[in-house]
Amino acid sequence: MRLQPMNLPRQCLASGHSKSCQTASIATAEASVQTRKHADAEVQTEVPAPVGARTVAQHDSPRLAAFLRRVEAMVIRELNKNWQSHAFDGFEVNWTEQQPTVTCLHTLGYPPAQGQGLHVTSVSWNTTGSVVACAYGRLDDGDWSTLKSFVCAWNLDRRGLNPQQPSAVVEVPSAVMCLAFHPTQPSHVAGGLYSGEVLVWDVSHPEDPLLWRTGLTDDTHTDPVYQVLWLPEPRHSHRFQVLSVATDGKVLLWQGGGAGQLQLTEGFALVVQQLPRNTKLKKPPRGETEVGATAVAFSGFDPSLFVLGTEGGFPLKCSLAAEEAALTRMPSSVPLRAPARFTFSPHGGPIYSVSCSPFHRNLFLSAGTDGHIHLYSMLQAQPLASLQLSHKYLFAVRWSPVRPLVFAAASGEGDVQLFDLRKSSQKPTVSIKQTQDDSPVYCLEFNRQQTQLLAAGDAKGTVKVWQLSTEFTEQGPREAEDLEQLAAEVAT
Amino acid sequence: MQAEVEETLKRIQSHKGVMGTMVVNAEGIPIRTTLDNSTTVQYAGLLHQLTMKAKSTVRDIDPQNDLTFLRIRSKKHEIMVAPDKEYLLIVIQNPCE
């Protein structure tokens, strides 16, 4: 093959500049290195020993007795010395950087929702503690069933977080009253609507987030859903179902079925005639038989025990295992049961929030429109303590996940109040002003993974993430015992 | 023999403030315990490793020396370990505040 000479392209004349550049001389140095000592080691992983090895292993009783004889005297001496020692009195060690005050880390909002005058009705942290979601709706006015609303989620660990631009926004056809993230799936969140529906979304798919919905069937709530929770399924504890409570008096358990439909698996109905009569209650208006439920909390110690807050202001101790049928004429595909086992002494107005202590099986808090917090023990109807925190309503109360004696409350006067029962049982230790114009704070949640964070949502449509001072995140030495003592003040 | 072992452990357990007592063998496997299974296994494994490390630290500093007793004081309680060639005695005490 012969190479043909190509026509060389004509030189193009163009005006141009020429520049030259040169880097400064680069400094270099040379050094030589040699190891003088070396060692050989072989490494191999071993199959980890199974946990729960037999505790009574083969051993030689005489040798064990001889060992104990040798060490007993020394151990007893040390135990006695320790018991009388004052060597460590007042000695405290700080392992983490001390944070002296409460600061506001983030102020998050979604302008289109705020522009519509929507309130933040509920906040929830996801299972990894890095995403906070809020539900927009309204808590004061009546019929907003045709108002479009939003659920927004912000990923706080992402770089370049824009507080006015949530990482995920879900449009919802009706006001959302409550929200709860899935306990193990970081992006699944359940919400209860003003229309009575319960929906489950996946916020990692913003184009098509809806996973399951109850739809508007005979089983659905007929009143706004005030709280939703995720519960482990009784037989498969890694799968979860959704529990919803509404002011129609029903407590319903839903499971995600095929075709995006939430199926009703179990249901409970509260009827006035079936309330336990251990506490004298005001007679309800004629004709009303349902008891509206406005809040629910499960005890971490007994998975079938739960506390309901009601519109009548009295908390109810209920059980998932209740078998008595409910005397209600509400239609339902699953037989409705009466769950209430014990009625507690009421507040002066409807309850908005209940919270069970994560450190003591018998203690729970309730907060309501009378501006009071009641600390109840499961063992008696009268509250152990009644604290007035606000002259307006109290919308939310939550126990701290790390300090047994600390809880936080959201008030209608625009503050988040932090109570440390170790310091004072009468007034809040810290009162954080969230809104400038005293508009109410409607919801708050502690972050269980990053325990110094507390998210609170208010009537201006903003969610503020507060970083708590170290005094609220580190347990004192005898807190669990002090809580035990508090709970034991049950009147005999 | 068996009775003597039980008597000794009962004496230690009944001391003021003692929350738990356990005996662990040289492989870190619990032999006797007054606590529940999962807590015991956790304490046994972790303290066995820590005791071995403490023992080697003492001997590295001075080969003529040896570990006789190990005490760990934490915010909530004190853990005492009496080591030996074949066994470890672990006692957890909640000291008077």
Side-chain angles (χ1 to χ4, degrees), chain A residues 55 61 63 67 69-70 72 76 78-80 82-83 88 475, chain B residues 2 4 11 15-16 30-31 37 71 73 75-76 78 84 86 93:
Chain A
T55 49
S61 217
R63 306 244 288 269
F67 160 69
R69 248 179 274 134
R70 280 197 297 271
E72 186 191 357
I76 301 242
E78 293 297 328
L79 285 172
N80 282 331
N82 206 19
W83 188 254
F88 288 97
Q475 246 189 56
Chain B
Q2 192 79 344
E4 194 191 332
R11 267 200 298 276
H15 244 69
K16 284 187 284 244
I31 296 175
N37 218 355
R71 287 166 72 153
R73 191 169 183 104
K75 263 202 301 209
K76 296 185 185 175
E78 179 144 344
D84 189 83
E86 295 160 334
Q93 185 187 33

PDB file of all heavy atoms in Angstrom, chain A residues 55 61 63 67 69-70 72 76 78-80 82-83 88 475, chain B residues 2 4 11 15-16 30-31 37 71 73 75-76 78 84 86 93:
ATOM      1  N   THR A  55     -22.573 -21.981  80.922  1.00  0.00           N
ATOM      2  CA  THR A  55     -21.957 -21.325  82.062  1.00  0.00           C
ATOM      3  C   THR A  55     -21.357 -22.333  83.031  1.00  0.00           C
ATOM      4  O   THR A  55     -20.489 -22.015  83.800  1.00  0.00           O
ATOM      5  CB  THR A  55     -22.983 -20.488  82.842  1.00  0.00           C
ATOM      6  OG1 THR A  55     -24.133 -21.311  83.062  1.00  0.00           O
ATOM      7  CG2 THR A  55     -23.401 -19.276  82.052  1.00  0.00           C
ATOM      8  N   SER A  61     -13.289 -29.127  90.725  1.00  0.00           N
ATOM      9  CA  SER A  61     -13.809 -28.513  91.940  1.00  0.00           C
ATOM     10  C   SER A  61     -12.749 -28.246  93.004  1.00  0.00           C
ATOM     11  O   SER A  61     -12.749 -27.191  93.596  1.00  0.00           O
ATOM     12  CB  SER A  61     -14.948 -29.367  92.504  1.00  0.00           C
ATOM     13  OG  SER A  61     -15.922 -28.539  93.023  1.00  0.00           O
ATOM     14  N   ARG A  63      -9.604 -27.601  92.648  1.00  0.00           N
ATOM     15  CA  ARG A  63      -8.733 -26.504  92.252  1.00  0.00           C
ATOM     16  C   ARG A  63      -9.481 -25.183  92.388  1.00  0.00           C
ATOM     17  O   ARG A  63      -8.908 -24.169  92.807  1.00  0.00           O
ATOM     18  CB  ARG A  63      -8.263 -26.685  90.801  1.00  0.00           C
ATOM     19  CG  ARG A  63      -7.613 -28.010  90.527  1.00  0.00           C
ATOM     20  CD  ARG A  63      -6.154 -27.847  90.140  1.00  0.00           C
ATOM     21  NE  ARG A  63      -5.996 -27.282  88.826  1.00  0.00           N
ATOM     22  CZ  ARG A  63      -5.907 -27.993  87.715  1.00  0.00           C
ATOM     23  NH1 ARG A  63      -6.007 -29.315  87.767  1.00  0.00           N
ATOM     24  NH2 ARG A  63      -5.751 -27.405  86.559  1.00  0.00           N
ATOM     25  N   PHE A  67      -8.427 -22.055  94.669  1.00  0.00           N
ATOM     26  CA  PHE A  67      -8.300 -20.686  94.148  1.00  0.00           C
ATOM     27  C   PHE A  67      -9.093 -19.722  95.005  1.00  0.00           C
ATOM     28  O   PHE A  67      -8.608 -18.660  95.400  1.00  0.00           O
ATOM     29  CB  PHE A  67      -8.780 -20.660  92.685  1.00  0.00           C
ATOM     30  CG  PHE A  67      -9.155 -19.291  92.182  1.00  0.00           C
ATOM     31  CD1 PHE A  67      -8.186 -18.303  91.988  1.00  0.00           C
ATOM     32  CD2 PHE A  67     -10.474 -18.966  91.915  1.00  0.00           C
ATOM     33  CE1 PHE A  67      -8.531 -17.040  91.528  1.00  0.00           C
ATOM     34  CE2 PHE A  67     -10.828 -17.716  91.437  1.00  0.00           C
ATOM     35  CZ  PHE A  67      -9.853 -16.758  91.251  1.00  0.00           C
ATOM     36  N   ARG A  69     -10.057 -20.030  98.051  1.00  0.00           N
ATOM     37  CA  ARG A  69      -9.446 -19.862  99.364  1.00  0.00           C
ATOM     38  C   ARG A  69      -8.315 -18.852  99.304  1.00  0.00           C
ATOM     39  O   ARG A  69      -8.132 -18.038 100.188  1.00  0.00           O
ATOM     40  CB  ARG A  69      -8.887 -21.209  99.852  1.00  0.00           C
ATOM     41  CG  ARG A  69      -9.643 -21.778 101.053  1.00  0.00           C
ATOM     42  CD  ARG A  69      -9.087 -23.114 101.482  1.00  0.00           C
ATOM     43  NE  ARG A  69      -9.674 -24.207 100.743  1.00  0.00           N
ATOM     44  CZ  ARG A  69      -8.978 -25.215 100.199  1.00  0.00           C
ATOM     45  NH1 ARG A  69      -7.663 -25.269 100.304  1.00  0.00           N
ATOM     46  NH2 ARG A  69      -9.592 -26.180  99.550  1.00  0.00           N
ATOM     47  N   ARG A  70      -7.551 -18.903  98.195  1.00  0.00           N
ATOM     48  CA  ARG A  70      -6.405 -17.985  98.077  1.00  0.00           C
ATOM     49  C   ARG A  70      -6.854 -16.546  97.959  1.00  0.00           C
ATOM     50  O   ARG A  70      -6.253 -15.651  98.537  1.00  0.00           O
ATOM     51  CB  ARG A  70      -5.587 -18.325  96.822  1.00  0.00           C
ATOM     52  CG  ARG A  70      -4.642 -19.482  96.964  1.00  0.00           C
ATOM     53  CD  ARG A  70      -3.616 -19.447  95.841  1.00  0.00           C
ATOM     54  NE  ARG A  70      -4.203 -19.605  94.528  1.00  0.00           N
ATOM     55  CZ  ARG A  70      -4.417 -20.782  93.924  1.00  0.00           C
ATOM     56  NH1 ARG A  70      -4.123 -21.913  94.553  1.00  0.00           N
ATOM     57  NH2 ARG A  70      -4.948 -20.845  92.720  1.00  0.00           N
ATOM     58  N   GLU A  72     -10.019 -15.156  98.521  1.00  0.00           N
ATOM     59  CA  GLU A  72     -11.165 -14.621  99.251  1.00  0.00           C
ATOM     60  C   GLU A  72     -10.808 -13.484 100.189  1.00  0.00           C
ATOM     61  O   GLU A  72     -11.454 -12.434 100.202  1.00  0.00           O
ATOM     62  CB  GLU A  72     -11.858 -15.744 100.043  1.00  0.00           C
ATOM     63  CG  GLU A  72     -13.135 -15.246 100.697  1.00  0.00           C
ATOM     64  CD  GLU A  72     -13.701 -16.215 101.693  1.00  0.00           C
ATOM     65  OE1 GLU A  72     -13.138 -17.322 101.854  1.00  0.00           O
ATOM     66  OE2 GLU A  72     -14.703 -15.868 102.331  1.00  0.00           O
ATOM     67  N   ILE A  76     -12.346  -9.685 100.005  1.00  0.00           N
ATOM     68  CA  ILE A  76     -13.202  -9.144 101.070  1.00  0.00           C
ATOM     69  C   ILE A  76     -12.584  -7.876 101.648  1.00  0.00           C
ATOM     70  O   ILE A  76     -13.285  -6.896 101.915  1.00  0.00           O
ATOM     71  CB  ILE A  76     -13.415 -10.204 102.159  1.00  0.00           C
ATOM     72  CG1 ILE A  76     -14.066 -11.424 101.536  1.00  0.00           C
ATOM     73  CG2 ILE A  76     -14.204  -9.635 103.314  1.00  0.00           C
ATOM     74  CD1 ILE A  76     -15.388 -11.801 102.042  1.00  0.00           C
ATOM     75  N   GLU A  78     -10.724  -5.734 100.063  1.00  0.00           N
ATOM     76  CA  GLU A  78     -10.919  -4.648  99.109  1.00  0.00           C
ATOM     77  C   GLU A  78     -12.367  -4.179  99.096  1.00  0.00           C
ATOM     78  O   GLU A  78     -12.646  -2.981  98.996  1.00  0.00           O
ATOM     79  CB  GLU A  78     -10.522  -5.094  97.685  1.00  0.00           C
ATOM     80  CG  GLU A  78      -9.050  -5.362  97.517  1.00  0.00           C
ATOM     81  CD  GLU A  78      -8.191  -4.141  97.739  1.00  0.00           C
ATOM     82  OE1 GLU A  78      -8.643  -3.018  97.445  1.00  0.00           O
ATOM     83  OE2 GLU A  78      -7.064  -4.297  98.240  1.00  0.00           O
ATOM     84  N   LEU A  79     -13.303  -5.097  99.222  1.00  0.00           N
ATOM     85  CA  LEU A  79     -14.716  -4.709  99.233  1.00  0.00           C
ATOM     86  C   LEU A  79     -14.994  -3.817 100.440  1.00  0.00           C
ATOM     87  O   LEU A  79     -15.692  -2.810 100.327  1.00  0.00           O
ATOM     88  CB  LEU A  79     -15.615  -5.956  99.296  1.00  0.00           C
ATOM     89  CG  LEU A  79     -15.757  -6.775  98.027  1.00  0.00           C
ATOM     90  CD1 LEU A  79     -16.518  -8.062  98.310  1.00  0.00           C
ATOM     91  CD2 LEU A  79     -16.484  -6.003  96.961  1.00  0.00           C
ATOM     92  N   ASN A  80     -14.443  -4.197 101.594  1.00  0.00           N
ATOM     93  CA  ASN A  80     -14.661  -3.380 102.787  1.00  0.00           C
ATOM     94  C   ASN A  80     -14.037  -2.010 102.652  1.00  0.00           C
ATOM     95  O   ASN A  80     -14.643  -0.991 102.982  1.00  0.00           O
ATOM     96  CB  ASN A  80     -14.083  -4.088 104.017  1.00  0.00           C
ATOM     97  CG  ASN A  80     -15.001  -5.193 104.481  1.00  0.00           C
ATOM     98  OD1 ASN A  80     -16.202  -5.117 104.300  1.00  0.00           O
ATOM     99  ND2 ASN A  80     -14.409  -6.227 105.063  1.00  0.00           N
ATOM    100  N   ASN A  82     -13.410  -0.376  99.998  1.00  0.00           N
ATOM    101  CA  ASN A  82     -14.151   0.396  99.008  1.00  0.00           C
ATOM    102  C   ASN A  82     -15.430   0.975  99.587  1.00  0.00           C
ATOM    103  O   ASN A  82     -15.820   2.093  99.309  1.00  0.00           O
ATOM    104  CB  ASN A  82     -14.497  -0.515  97.826  1.00  0.00           C
ATOM    105  CG  ASN A  82     -14.684   0.266  96.565  1.00  0.00           C
ATOM    106  OD1 ASN A  82     -14.232   1.398  96.459  1.00  0.00           O
ATOM    107  ND2 ASN A  82     -15.367  -0.317  95.612  1.00  0.00           N
ATOM    108  N   TRP A  83     -16.076   0.163 100.402  1.00  0.00           N
ATOM    109  CA  TRP A  83     -17.352   0.600 100.980  1.00  0.00           C
ATOM    110  C   TRP A  83     -17.165   1.815 101.867  1.00  0.00           C
ATOM    111  O   TRP A  83     -18.009   2.687 101.939  1.00  0.00           O
ATOM    112  CB  TRP A  83     -17.953  -0.571 101.773  1.00  0.00           C
ATOM    113  CG  TRP A  83     -19.329  -0.296 102.247  1.00  0.00           C
ATOM    114  CD1 TRP A  83     -19.716  -0.018 103.520  1.00  0.00           C
ATOM    115  CD2 TRP A  83     -20.512  -0.231 101.455  1.00  0.00           C
ATOM    116  NE1 TRP A  83     -21.073   0.195 103.579  1.00  0.00           N
ATOM    117  CE2 TRP A  83     -21.573   0.069 102.328  1.00  0.00           C
ATOM    118  CE3 TRP A  83     -20.793  -0.410 100.099  1.00  0.00           C
ATOM    119  CZ2 TRP A  83     -22.887   0.196 101.880  1.00  0.00           C
ATOM    120  CZ3 TRP A  83     -22.092  -0.276  99.658  1.00  0.00           C
ATOM    121  CH2 TRP A  83     -23.123   0.029 100.556  1.00  0.00           C
ATOM    122  N   PHE A  88     -13.046   8.811  96.192  1.00  0.00           N
ATOM    123  CA  PHE A  88     -13.544   9.318  94.912  1.00  0.00           C
ATOM    124  C   PHE A  88     -14.709  10.283  95.071  1.00  0.00           C
ATOM    125  O   PHE A  88     -15.389  10.593  94.108  1.00  0.00           O
ATOM    126  CB  PHE A  88     -13.976   8.135  94.033  1.00  0.00           C
ATOM    127  CG  PHE A  88     -12.816   7.345  93.508  1.00  0.00           C
ATOM    128  CD1 PHE A  88     -12.409   6.194  94.143  1.00  0.00           C
ATOM    129  CD2 PHE A  88     -12.122   7.779  92.387  1.00  0.00           C
ATOM    130  CE1 PHE A  88     -11.338   5.470  93.665  1.00  0.00           C
ATOM    131  CE2 PHE A  88     -11.050   7.056  91.903  1.00  0.00           C
ATOM    132  CZ  PHE A  88     -10.655   5.897  92.546  1.00  0.00           C
ATOM    133  N   GLN A 475     -25.614  10.959  82.045  1.00  0.00           N
ATOM    134  CA  GLN A 475     -26.317  10.459  83.214  1.00  0.00           C
ATOM    135  C   GLN A 475     -25.496  10.694  84.458  1.00  0.00           C
ATOM    136  O   GLN A 475     -24.294  10.470  84.469  1.00  0.00           O
ATOM    137  CB  GLN A 475     -26.518   8.947  83.056  1.00  0.00           C
ATOM    138  CG  GLN A 475     -27.935   8.548  82.928  1.00  0.00           C
ATOM    139  CD  GLN A 475     -28.090   7.051  82.999  1.00  0.00           C
ATOM    140  OE1 GLN A 475     -27.662   6.440  83.964  1.00  0.00           O
ATOM    141  NE2 GLN A 475     -28.676   6.470  81.983  1.00  0.00           N
TER     142      GLN A 475
ATOM    143  N   GLN B   2     -17.665 -28.931  96.780  1.00  0.00           N
ATOM    144  CA  GLN B   2     -18.677 -28.118  96.107  1.00  0.00           C
ATOM    145  C   GLN B   2     -19.278 -27.117  97.081  1.00  0.00           C
ATOM    146  O   GLN B   2     -19.441 -25.948  96.784  1.00  0.00           O
ATOM    147  CB  GLN B   2     -19.782 -29.067  95.580  1.00  0.00           C
ATOM    148  CG  GLN B   2     -20.741 -28.435  94.643  1.00  0.00           C
ATOM    149  CD  GLN B   2     -20.161 -28.323  93.242  1.00  0.00           C
ATOM    150  OE1 GLN B   2     -18.937 -28.449  93.043  1.00  0.00           O
ATOM    151  NE2 GLN B   2     -20.991 -28.069  92.283  1.00  0.00           N
ATOM    152  N   GLU B   4     -18.000 -25.918  99.773  1.00  0.00           N
ATOM    153  CA  GLU B   4     -17.060 -24.873 100.168  1.00  0.00           C
ATOM    154  C   GLU B   4     -17.047 -23.754  99.119  1.00  0.00           C
ATOM    155  O   GLU B   4     -17.048 -22.566  99.448  1.00  0.00           O
ATOM    156  CB  GLU B   4     -15.660 -25.472 100.304  1.00  0.00           C
ATOM    157  CG  GLU B   4     -14.729 -24.517 101.030  1.00  0.00           C
ATOM    158  CD  GLU B   4     -13.281 -24.981 100.942  1.00  0.00           C
ATOM    159  OE1 GLU B   4     -13.079 -26.200 100.816  1.00  0.00           O
ATOM    160  OE2 GLU B   4     -12.401 -24.116 100.988  1.00  0.00           O
ATOM    161  N   ARG B  11     -20.575 -15.827 100.604  1.00  0.00           N
ATOM    162  CA  ARG B  11     -20.034 -14.841 101.537  1.00  0.00           C
ATOM    163  C   ARG B  11     -19.676 -13.558 100.804  1.00  0.00           C
ATOM    164  O   ARG B  11     -19.964 -12.463 101.249  1.00  0.00           O
ATOM    165  CB  ARG B  11     -18.774 -15.386 102.216  1.00  0.00           C
ATOM    166  CG  ARG B  11     -19.014 -16.075 103.541  1.00  0.00           C
ATOM    167  CD  ARG B  11     -17.736 -16.129 104.348  1.00  0.00           C
ATOM    168  NE  ARG B  11     -16.688 -16.899 103.699  1.00  0.00           N
ATOM    169  CZ  ARG B  11     -16.572 -18.224 103.773  1.00  0.00           C
ATOM    170  NH1 ARG B  11     -17.428 -18.931 104.465  1.00  0.00           N
ATOM    171  NH2 ARG B  11     -15.594 -18.856 103.144  1.00  0.00           N
ATOM    172  N   HIS B  15     -21.744  -9.380 100.700  1.00  0.00           N
ATOM    173  CA  HIS B  15     -21.077  -8.188 101.203  1.00  0.00           C
ATOM    174  C   HIS B  15     -21.803  -6.926 100.789  1.00  0.00           C
ATOM    175  O   HIS B  15     -22.515  -6.904  99.796  1.00  0.00           O
ATOM    176  CB  HIS B  15     -19.640  -8.137 100.693  1.00  0.00           C
ATOM    177  CG  HIS B  15     -18.672  -8.235 101.796  1.00  0.00           C
ATOM    178  ND1 HIS B  15     -18.493  -9.383 102.533  1.00  0.00           N
ATOM    179  CD2 HIS B  15     -17.859  -7.308 102.348  1.00  0.00           C
ATOM    180  CE1 HIS B  15     -17.614  -9.154 103.461  1.00  0.00           C
ATOM    181  NE2 HIS B  15     -17.205  -7.917 103.384  1.00  0.00           N
ATOM    182  N   LYS B  16     -21.600  -5.858 101.563  1.00  0.00           N
ATOM    183  CA  LYS B  16     -22.339  -4.618 101.313  1.00  0.00           C
ATOM    184  C   LYS B  16     -22.087  -4.099  99.916  1.00  0.00           C
ATOM    185  O   LYS B  16     -20.943  -3.914  99.510  1.00  0.00           O
ATOM    186  CB  LYS B  16     -21.889  -3.548 102.321  1.00  0.00           C
ATOM    187  CG  LYS B  16     -22.473  -3.763 103.714  1.00  0.00           C
ATOM    188  CD  LYS B  16     -22.137  -2.602 104.620  1.00  0.00           C
ATOM    189  CE  LYS B  16     -20.701  -2.660 105.088  1.00  0.00           C
ATOM    190  NZ  LYS B  16     -20.562  -2.826 106.534  1.00  0.00           N
ATOM    191  N   PRO B  30     -17.303 -18.416  81.692  1.00  0.00           N
ATOM    192  CA  PRO B  30     -17.796 -18.309  83.073  1.00  0.00           C
ATOM    193  C   PRO B  30     -18.139 -19.687  83.652  1.00  0.00           C
ATOM    194  O   PRO B  30     -18.698 -20.534  82.962  1.00  0.00           O
ATOM    195  CB  PRO B  30     -19.066 -17.461  82.936  1.00  0.00           C
ATOM    196  CG  PRO B  30     -19.284 -17.211  81.506  1.00  0.00           C
ATOM    197  CD  PRO B  30     -18.215 -17.844  80.709  1.00  0.00           C
ATOM    198  N   ILE B  31     -17.775 -19.859  84.926  1.00  0.00           N
ATOM    199  CA  ILE B  31     -18.017 -21.127  85.605  1.00  0.00           C
ATOM    200  C   ILE B  31     -19.120 -20.975  86.635  1.00  0.00           C
ATOM    201  O   ILE B  31     -19.950 -21.839  86.815  1.00  0.00           O
ATOM    202  CB  ILE B  31     -16.737 -21.605  86.304  1.00  0.00           C
ATOM    203  CG1 ILE B  31     -15.670 -21.880  85.256  1.00  0.00           C
ATOM    204  CG2 ILE B  31     -16.997 -22.840  87.118  1.00  0.00           C
ATOM    205  CD1 ILE B  31     -14.360 -22.234  85.869  1.00  0.00           C
ATOM    206  N   ASN B  37     -27.409 -14.716  82.239  1.00  0.00           N
ATOM    207  CA  ASN B  37     -26.514 -15.314  81.259  1.00  0.00           C
ATOM    208  C   ASN B  37     -25.821 -14.314  80.342  1.00  0.00           C
ATOM    209  O   ASN B  37     -24.600 -14.315  80.195  1.00  0.00           O
ATOM    210  CB  ASN B  37     -27.333 -16.288  80.396  1.00  0.00           C
ATOM    211  CG  ASN B  37     -26.535 -17.508  80.072  1.00  0.00           C
ATOM    212  OD1 ASN B  37     -25.354 -17.603  80.397  1.00  0.00           O
ATOM    213  ND2 ASN B  37     -27.175 -18.462  79.431  1.00  0.00           N
ATOM    214  N   ARG B  71      -8.733  -3.184  89.535  1.00  0.00           N
ATOM    215  CA  ARG B  71      -9.970  -2.507  89.922  1.00  0.00           C
ATOM    216  C   ARG B  71     -10.308  -1.481  88.859  1.00  0.00           C
ATOM    217  O   ARG B  71      -9.456  -0.717  88.433  1.00  0.00           O
ATOM    218  CB  ARG B  71      -9.806  -1.770  91.244  1.00  0.00           C
ATOM    219  CG  ARG B  71      -9.736  -2.687  92.432  1.00  0.00           C
ATOM    220  CD  ARG B  71      -9.245  -1.970  93.628  1.00  0.00           C
ATOM    221  NE  ARG B  71     -10.254  -1.053  94.126  1.00  0.00           N
ATOM    222  CZ  ARG B  71     -10.341  -0.682  95.396  1.00  0.00           C
ATOM    223  NH1 ARG B  71      -9.492  -1.152  96.264  1.00  0.00           N
ATOM    224  NH2 ARG B  71     -11.266   0.167  95.780  1.00  0.00           N
ATOM    225  N   ARG B  73     -12.891   1.630  88.218  1.00  0.00           N
ATOM    226  CA  ARG B  73     -13.937   2.425  88.829  1.00  0.00           C
ATOM    227  C   ARG B  73     -14.670   3.186  87.726  1.00  0.00           C
ATOM    228  O   ARG B  73     -14.051   3.846  86.902  1.00  0.00           O
ATOM    229  CB  ARG B  73     -13.351   3.422  89.819  1.00  0.00           C
ATOM    230  CG  ARG B  73     -14.477   4.031  90.632  1.00  0.00           C
ATOM    231  CD  ARG B  73     -13.966   4.820  91.807  1.00  0.00           C
ATOM    232  NE  ARG B  73     -15.080   5.316  92.584  1.00  0.00           N
ATOM    233  CZ  ARG B  73     -15.478   4.808  93.750  1.00  0.00           C
ATOM    234  NH1 ARG B  73     -14.820   3.796  94.274  1.00  0.00           N
ATOM    235  NH2 ARG B  73     -16.499   5.298  94.394  1.00  0.00           N
ATOM    236  N   LYS B  75     -18.523   5.424  86.643  1.00  0.00           N
ATOM    237  CA  LYS B  75     -19.504   6.335  87.246  1.00  0.00           C
ATOM    238  C   LYS B  75     -20.501   5.567  88.098  1.00  0.00           C
ATOM    239  O   LYS B  75     -20.926   6.032  89.131  1.00  0.00           O
ATOM    240  CB  LYS B  75     -20.289   7.057  86.128  1.00  0.00           C
ATOM    241  CG  LYS B  75     -19.755   8.423  85.823  1.00  0.00           C
ATOM    242  CD  LYS B  75     -20.759   9.351  85.147  1.00  0.00           C
ATOM    243  CE  LYS B  75     -21.321   8.881  83.845  1.00  0.00           C
ATOM    244  NZ  LYS B  75     -21.695   9.994  82.970  1.00  0.00           N
ATOM    245  N   LYS B  76     -20.894   4.405  87.642  1.00  0.00           N
ATOM    246  CA  LYS B  76     -21.984   3.705  88.310  1.00  0.00           C
ATOM    247  C   LYS B  76     -21.526   2.687  89.351  1.00  0.00           C
ATOM    248  O   LYS B  76     -22.252   2.430  90.294  1.00  0.00           O
ATOM    249  CB  LYS B  76     -22.864   3.001  87.276  1.00  0.00           C
ATOM    250  CG  LYS B  76     -23.537   3.998  86.363  1.00  0.00           C
ATOM    251  CD  LYS B  76     -24.491   3.323  85.411  1.00  0.00           C
ATOM    252  CE  LYS B  76     -25.054   4.328  84.441  1.00  0.00           C
ATOM    253  NZ  LYS B  76     -25.887   3.696  83.423  1.00  0.00           N
ATOM    254  N   GLU B  78     -18.003  -0.245  90.789  1.00  0.00           N
ATOM    255  CA  GLU B  78     -16.594  -0.633  90.719  1.00  0.00           C
ATOM    256  C   GLU B  78     -16.500  -2.122  90.414  1.00  0.00           C
ATOM    257  O   GLU B  78     -17.236  -2.931  90.989  1.00  0.00           O
ATOM    258  CB  GLU B  78     -15.907  -0.328  92.058  1.00  0.00           C
ATOM    259  CG  GLU B  78     -14.458  -0.714  92.066  1.00  0.00           C
ATOM    260  CD  GLU B  78     -13.606   0.256  92.874  1.00  0.00           C
ATOM    261  OE1 GLU B  78     -14.064   1.354  93.172  1.00  0.00           O
ATOM    262  OE2 GLU B  78     -12.471  -0.119  93.197  1.00  0.00           O
ATOM    263  N   ASP B  84      -5.594 -15.153  88.540  1.00  0.00           N
ATOM    264  CA  ASP B  84      -4.849 -16.322  88.993  1.00  0.00           C
ATOM    265  C   ASP B  84      -4.433 -17.060  87.731  1.00  0.00           C
ATOM    266  O   ASP B  84      -4.839 -16.712  86.631  1.00  0.00           O
ATOM    267  CB  ASP B  84      -5.788 -17.169  89.867  1.00  0.00           C
ATOM    268  CG  ASP B  84      -5.050 -18.284  90.561  1.00  0.00           C
ATOM    269  OD1 ASP B  84      -4.454 -18.017  91.612  1.00  0.00           O
ATOM    270  OD2 ASP B  84      -5.061 -19.407  90.018  1.00  0.00           O
ATOM    271  N   GLU B  86      -5.334 -20.046  86.795  1.00  0.00           N
ATOM    272  CA  GLU B  86      -6.404 -20.813  86.149  1.00  0.00           C
ATOM    273  C   GLU B  86      -7.755 -20.115  86.133  1.00  0.00           C
ATOM    274  O   GLU B  86      -8.616 -20.471  85.327  1.00  0.00           O
ATOM    275  CB  GLU B  86      -6.601 -22.131  86.890  1.00  0.00           C
ATOM    276  CG  GLU B  86      -5.404 -23.030  86.786  1.00  0.00           C
ATOM    277  CD  GLU B  86      -5.433 -24.068  87.889  1.00  0.00           C
ATOM    278  OE1 GLU B  86      -6.045 -23.789  88.945  1.00  0.00           O
ATOM    279  OE2 GLU B  86      -4.866 -25.125  87.685  1.00  0.00           O
ATOM    280  N   GLN B  93     -19.238  -4.114  92.553  1.00  0.00           N
ATOM    281  CA  GLN B  93     -19.762  -3.504  93.766  1.00  0.00           C
ATOM    282  C   GLN B  93     -20.258  -2.100  93.472  1.00  0.00           C
ATOM    283  O   GLN B  93     -19.637  -1.344  92.733  1.00  0.00           O
ATOM    284  CB  GLN B  93     -18.655  -3.447  94.829  1.00  0.00           C
ATOM    285  CG  GLN B  93     -19.146  -2.937  96.176  1.00  0.00           C
ATOM    286  CD  GLN B  93     -18.008  -2.735  97.161  1.00  0.00           C
ATOM    287  OE1 GLN B  93     -16.918  -2.393  96.761  1.00  0.00           O
ATOM    288  NE2 GLN B  93     -18.274  -2.962  98.428  1.00  0.00           N
TER     289      GLN B  93
END
